Amino acid sequence: MARSKIQPGAVIDGYTIGDRVHIGGMATLWSASHPGIEVPLLMKVPRVSEGEDPAAIVSLEMEQMILPRLSGPHVPACFGVGDFTREAYVVIERIPGQTLYQRLPDLPLPCEEASMIAAKIAAALADLHRQNVIHHDIKPSSIMFRPSGEAVLIDFGLSHHNHLPDLLQEEFHLPFGTAPYTAPERLLGVRDDPRSDLFSLGVLLYFFTTGVRPFGETETMRGMRRRLWRDPHPPRKLKSDYPPWLQEVVLRCLEIEPVWRYPTASQLAFELAYPNQIKLTARSERTKRDPLSTVWRRRFNRGLTQPKPKSDVAAHLASSPIVAVALDTAQESASLNEALRVTAARILATLPSARLACVNVLKLGRITIDRTLDEEGQNKHVDRLVALKHWASPLKLDENRLTVHVLEAVDPAAAILDFVEVNHVDHIVIGARQNSLKRALLGSVSAKVASEAACTVTVVRPPRLASLHEPQRANGNPGELSA
């Protein structure tokens, strides 16, 4: 590769180079502009001087392959890449503001604020993993936030794409990354498990709520390998008032074995959005690390010291969806609710890692003042929560896989669609109503959900109507059913 020509004022492939913004360990960032592009730009150039780490070149190659394939609000838009035979670079959108690294002097943050930040990062990771990419360098300096609030992940030089060559894996034998945030399996050469990013996010959440990194600052391989068998001190040992629900989340993310962590980033984001429904286990109350007997068993368990079989990111995510069932708790809906339960049971039987969210909408009047109590003096909201749990009880789901939600809204369909979008629901099951004049004039909730939801929708009819109405394909996503 030729010597770099990057300097202020230079024009390369139509991009005018501005000021130098940042010098990192593997690359230098320059501001840039292009007559055909209105948004502010950054040009990232690898450090290739004498004595520089050769991984810098491979890292930029990975970014050149991965970034053009990514889309959405959680990644910077990519506008161009430069040929290594002339000038190697990648041009991306310049996100306004600073990285999360700037918050380090403020640590520890209030638990509510830190968990909100973590929820946004988890949502960004969920979107990234759906695009077959594992970031592998989640840390404060790799995270920014758009003015609209979404977390943006940057620096994809160490990432793994499920459908592209992994040049870092092929050319180097060391686990590149930031030592305090590196997942245990990364030390064994495993780069294709999306739960590695959840471990890193767990480290960040621990650090932001306690002010202490769970595994210290060590950079030596020997020190890093200890996390293959040694768990961190529980946050409640450091802060006696640490919320049990938050410790449950943090320690689950930091489990040594990936299988004990959250199955997906979507499920982690869902937990953080509803902390009052997190099912507490022994993790939540711990104040001591695992006993030495457990540590020694891990230390000499040869299974932990061998690389795991390759996983398929898409298959893993598909086996761990968030499934929502929209229910009407009225007595006259009993037959339909039974049909919904049968359908949900069939779906969950094939997806042992799926999470089920039972949703009911308490419809509010547009003009009238709504009463919180029914005719018998019972709280409507509480009654419906109880009814949802009663509906789900025959499914015999583990408590970690079930949540119930009563939404209060004027427009039930809009409330369900908003719940689906905010919580990254993968599949919604909803009941169809019988034909009526009101439905003909105003349209049904199920029809609106089926036509507008950005996920798979299954519309279920009561058994007595099944023979009269054959389900039809809805316009939109394949596999949806119309109401």
Side-chain angles (χ1 to χ4, degrees), residues 237-368:
K237 177 178 174 60
L238 306 179
K239 297 179 66 177
S240 60
D241 59 346
Y242 201 85
W245 67 265
L246 188 54
Q247 176 159 300
E248 179 74 30
V249 171
V250 169
L251 293 186
R252 187 172 178 185
C253 288
L254 295 179
E255 287 283 358
I256 294 172
E257 283 284 2
V259 69
W260 293 108
R261 300 174 203 154
Y262 288 95
T264 65
S266 291
Q267 292 201 21
L268 171 57
F270 193 94
E271 288 270 85
L272 290 168
Y274 302 98
N276 61 320
Q277 295 207 48
I278 292 174
K279 304 306 184 290
L280 303 182
T281 69
R283 292 190 193 98
S284 66
E285 296 294 338
R286 289 176 55 191
T287 56
K288 297 180 180 179
R289 295 198 287 182
D290 288 333
L292 288 177
S293 57
T294 301
V295 173
W296 282 106
R297 279 199 301 272
R298 292 193 193 114
R299 177 68 179 87
F300 295 103
N301 179 356
R302 296 187 63 182
L304 267 179
T305 61
Q306 300 299 319
K308 303 297 187 294
K310 285 184 67 63
S311 63
D312 185 319
V313 176
H316 173 76
L317 297 179
S319 68
S320 310
I322 297 175
V323 180
V325 178
L327 296 157
D328 186 345
T329 58
Q331 186 63 38
E332 58 268 23
S333 302
S335 62
L336 177 56
N337 286 346
E338 177 60 30
L340 287 167
R341 184 162 47 227
V342 170
T343 301
R346 289 172 179 167
I347 294 171
L348 296 171
T350 62
L351 301 166
S353 296
R355 172 187 286 276
L356 180 67
C358 302
V359 180
N360 172 261
V361 181
L362 179 58
K363 194 173 187 305
L364 304 178
R366 293 183 182 274
I367 301 176
T368 60

Side-chain angles (χ1 to χ4, degrees), residues 376-393:
E376 299 176 357
Q378 302 294 321
N379 185 286
K380 297 178 184 178
H381 197 109
V382 173
D383 281 352
R384 295 190 181 203
L385 287 174
V386 172
L388 291 176
K389 290 184 178 180
H390 178 73
W391 176 90
S393 60

Side-chain angles (χ1 to χ4, degrees), residues 107-169:
L107 302 188
L109 299 182
C111 291
E112 293 75 14
E113 181 182 0
S115 64
M116 187 180 303
I117 290 171
K120 292 182 177 182
I121 300 170
L125 284 173
D127 186 51
L128 185 69
H129 294 167
R130 281 192 289 268
Q131 298 183 65
N132 290 291
V133 175
I134 304 167
H135 191 277
H136 281 319
D137 201 20
I138 294 299
K139 58 184 179 181
S141 59
S142 298
I143 299 160
M144 302 185 72
F145 293 90
R146 293 190 184 278
S148 51
E150 298 97 339
V152 182
L153 307 176
I154 60 175
D155 292 339
F156 288 84
L158 305 182
S159 298
H160 169 90
H161 193 296
N162 197 42
H163 299 153
L164 296 174
D166 193 334
L167 302 182
L168 284 170
Q169 183 86 322

